[in-house]
Amino acid sequence: MADKDAPTENNNTSIDSNAQSENDNEMSIDALARKVQESLSLSKRHKFWETQPVGQFKDLGDTNFPEGPIEPPTPISQVKQEPYNLPGPYEWITCDVDSEEVCSEIYTLLTNNYVEDDENMFRFNYSKEFLRWALRPPGYFKSWHIGVRVKTSKKLVAFITGIPAKIRVRDAVVVMAEVNFLCVHKKLRSKRLAPVMIKEVTRRVHLENIWQAAYTAGVVLPTPITTCQYWHRSLNPKKLIDVGFSRLGARMTMSRTIKLYKLPEKTVTPGFRKMEPHDVPAVTRLLKNYLKQFAVAPDFDEDDVEHWLLPRENVMDSFLVESPENHQITDFCSFYTLPSSILGSPNHSTLKAAYSYYNVTTKTHLLQLMNDALIVAKKNEFDVFNALDVMQNETFLKELKFGPGDGKLHYYLYNYRLNHVLKASELGLVLL
């Protein structure tokens, strides 16, 4: 399945631009259909997806189809038992991310060949700790961590992964695979490996009696359930401008820009502290209750919360608000660490980026909680804080001086139909 675009600040707007039309994130079915009509030359690229059980562009707006699975499950005995055929020089391997050697190979492949921005200035740089966290949630299957090697040299040249997840779509909780990290070595992009890899991960998912999947992509495929926009909040504006991530705004000097983005030294919310293991039950309750309001959201239990949300150095930061009066946990915020390699800058090699994850408020205003998150991220030497306009994020983006980026992220469900494209604010799911 597919993957996302590396986000960059929108270079067509000044760094402090707030100009953004009200309806940006409301991608109506009509608008999406128009977009598709305008780009019918894309249809050549969708030959593969037109054979798959996904929402098709031609059916957009047709509410006669029932929501839910597009194809019924087949008996496991009828699922293809042998891997799909690869071109002659290549072979499948199952990647053991516990192995230091294999994890290093995956890291090297992704660092040199994974998602770049449109101008080829930045490329995601997932750390080995991040990869192990992302690929080993409760109940994960090793067989879903799939690599392609060159038979002769044993070099790892392609990679794709799935992890199991319980995702609620409206009122139904569906066990799905979250498919991620589809990466093919730059020199092999013409070999048509990606469709075979997608079919192979799908086959392995089916062998576990799982028939649905969720994934994201920076490109429009048949057919997004929603489209989100990346927003960026400068924490180190001088560096961001130096490396070409941002531009100096019209009539702005560097010193005025630095002053514009300056944050307080200390967080302001009483009882704001780092999440600890004993907080897992309270955070699970907060999160479950909060996520009920969204059309598509994860169905987390305590094991999931322990895995995904407990702080991990250089991977995950989670903070909560514990009421000084009654010690109730009332609010929660989290962000993960995903640096990008800076390509071609003489002075800087890494952009340290924080990505907003799950945030819940019941007592503190979301604006205040997220400002505290920005303060903590700045203190921890992050250069930029990124957020998608999902959930209730739109309520704080402009106010906290986030600017719209040029990265769009499209969300997809495999073998599951929704009759209406969702607004970004109806989505309660963040995929890494």
Side-chain angles (χ1 to χ4, degrees), residues 92-96 102 141-147 149 204:
W92 296 112
I93 59 154
T94 297
C95 295
D96 178 4
V102 174
F141 300 100
K142 261 188 188 167
S143 60
W144 292 8
H145 305 158
I146 305 168
R149 282 198 197 283
R204 296 190 191 195

Side-chain angles (χ1 to χ4, degrees), residues 307-373:
H307 176 82
W308 291 119
L309 292 165
L310 269 182
R312 291 171 189 245
E313 198 174 351
N314 295 324
V315 173
M316 166 54 61
D317 283 280
S318 302
F319 297 88
L320 46 77
V321 179
E322 180 181 350
S323 160
E325 287 85 48
N326 58 18
H327 301 290
Q328 292 267 290
I329 307 302
T330 57
D331 313 278
F332 174 80
C333 64
S334 58
F335 53 89
Y336 59 87
T337 302
L338 174 48
S340 283
S341 304
I342 301 168
L343 313 177
S345 165
N347 305 322
H348 302 283
S349 59
T350 304
L351 190 73
K352 191 175 177 187
Y355 283 74
S356 178
Y357 199 38
Y358 290 96
N359 311 302
V360 184
T361 55
T362 64
K363 291 282 188 284
T364 309
H365 198 288
L366 186 57
L367 203 67
Q368 180 177 312
L369 187 73
M370 293 311 295
N371 202 52
D372 279 347

Side-chain angles (χ1 to χ4, degrees), residues 57-322:
F57 290 135
K58 63 182 172 49
D59 301 330
L60 266 179
D62 187 339
T63 52
N64 293 325
F65 295 104
E67 289 203 331
I70 295 168
E71 288 179 352
T74 54
I76 303 274
S77 58
Q78 289 176 25
V79 175
K80 185 173 156 57
Q81 300 296 306
E82 296 301 313
Y84 282 89
N85 290 331
L86 282 167
Y90 307 104
E91 63 186 7
W92 296 112
I93 59 154
T94 297
C95 295
D96 178 4
V97 295
D98 290 325
S99 151
E100 188 56 35
E101 188 185 351
V102 174
C103 203
S104 293
E105 286 183 275
I106 296 166
Y107 171 78
T108 302
L109 175 71
L110 293 176
T111 301
N112 294 326
N113 300 279
Y114 200 41
V115 180
E116 292 179 13
D117 67 299
D118 291 343
E119 279 85 40
N120 308 110
M121 293 165 68
F122 307 97
R123 189 187 301 126
F124 282 146
N125 185 350
Y126 290 92
S127 67
K128 286 188 274 191
E129 297 75 27
F130 189 104
L131 290 169
R132 289 197 171 114
W133 169 68
L135 295 176
R136 299 186 307 176
Y140 77 95
F141 300 100
K142 261 188 188 167
S143 60
W144 292 8
H145 305 158
I146 305 168
V148 175
R149 282 198 197 283
V150 179
K151 284 179 185 169
T152 50
S153 66
K154 301 299 179 197
K155 183 180 167 75
L156 184 70
V157 292
F159 187 58
I160 191 169
T161 67
I163 55 166
K166 297 182 296 296
I167 295 176
R168 181 184 51 73
V169 187
R170 306 214 195 273
D171 297 326
V173 174
V174 185
V175 179
M176 296 194 190
E178 289 179 2
V179 175
N180 204 346
F181 300 113
L182 170 53
C183 178
V184 177
H185 194 287
K186 287 179 176 180
K187 289 185 177 167
L188 301 179
R189 299 274 162 93
S190 61
K191 302 280 187 210
R192 301 289 297 149
L193 283 176
V196 189
M197 295 171 71
I198 293 165
K199 288 201 287 198
E200 180 60 20
V201 75
T202 303
R203 183 187 76 80
R204 296 190 191 195
V205 168
H206 287 168
L207 285 172
E208 303 298 340
N209 201 23
I210 293 172
W211 304 90
Q212 276 72 36
Y215 51 104
T216 58
V219 292
V220 178
L221 305 165
T223 298
I225 60 162
T226 191
T227 293
C228 313
Q229 169 129 36
Y230 271 112
W231 288 67
H232 310 288
R233 202 316 181 161
S234 296
L235 301 176
N236 185 350
K238 184 178 187 310
K239 179 176 172 182
L240 295 180
I241 291 166
D242 282 350
V243 302
F245 184 91
S246 311
R247 284 195 183 157
L248 205 53
R251 300 181 300 283
M252 285 293 278
T253 61
M254 185 64 83
S255 59
R256 277 179 66 199
T257 303
I258 290 166
K259 193 174 169 194
L260 175 71
Y261 290 113
K262 193 166 166 46
L263 286 157
E265 288 295 309
K266 290 198 170 96
T267 57
V268 300
T269 309
F272 184 88
R273 64 166 174 83
K274 201 169 183 170
M275 180 185 175
E276 295 169 12
H278 66 85
D279 298 315
V280 166
V283 169
T284 307
R285 282 194 297 275
L286 263 186
L287 203 52
K288 277 181 93 70
N289 208 30
Y290 174 72
L291 292 173
K292 279 179 191 164
Q293 65 189 291
F294 303 107
V296 175
D299 183 48
F300 283 143
D301 60 23
E302 288 186 13
D303 290 343
D304 300 316
V305 167
E306 183 176 328
H307 176 82
W308 291 119
L309 292 165
L310 269 182
R312 291 171 189 245
E313 198 174 351
N314 295 324
V315 173
M316 166 54 61
D317 283 280
S318 302
F319 297 88
L320 46 77
V321 179
E322 180 181 350

Side-chain angles (χ1 to χ4, degrees), residues 354-415:
Y355 283 74
S356 178
Y357 199 38
Y358 290 96
N359 311 302
V360 184
T361 55
T362 64
K363 291 282 188 284
T364 309
H365 198 288
L366 186 57
L367 203 67
Q368 180 177 312
L369 187 73
M370 293 311 295
N371 202 52
D372 279 347
L374 292 176
I375 292 165
V376 170
K378 171 72 180 168
K379 202 179 256 3
N380 291 342
E381 300 187 330
F382 284 88
D383 299 313
V384 63
F385 196 105
N386 299 324
L388 288 165
D389 53 357
V390 297
M391 294 180 267
Q392 293 169 336
N393 290 359
E394 231 190 352
T395 61
F396 66 76
L397 293 170
K398 287 181 186 171
E399 196 78 27
L400 293 181
K401 301 176 186 166
F402 283 74
D406 49 13
K408 288 272 201 290
L409 190 62
H410 309 283
Y411 274 75
Y412 300 91
L413 294 179
Y414 183 88
N415 196 21

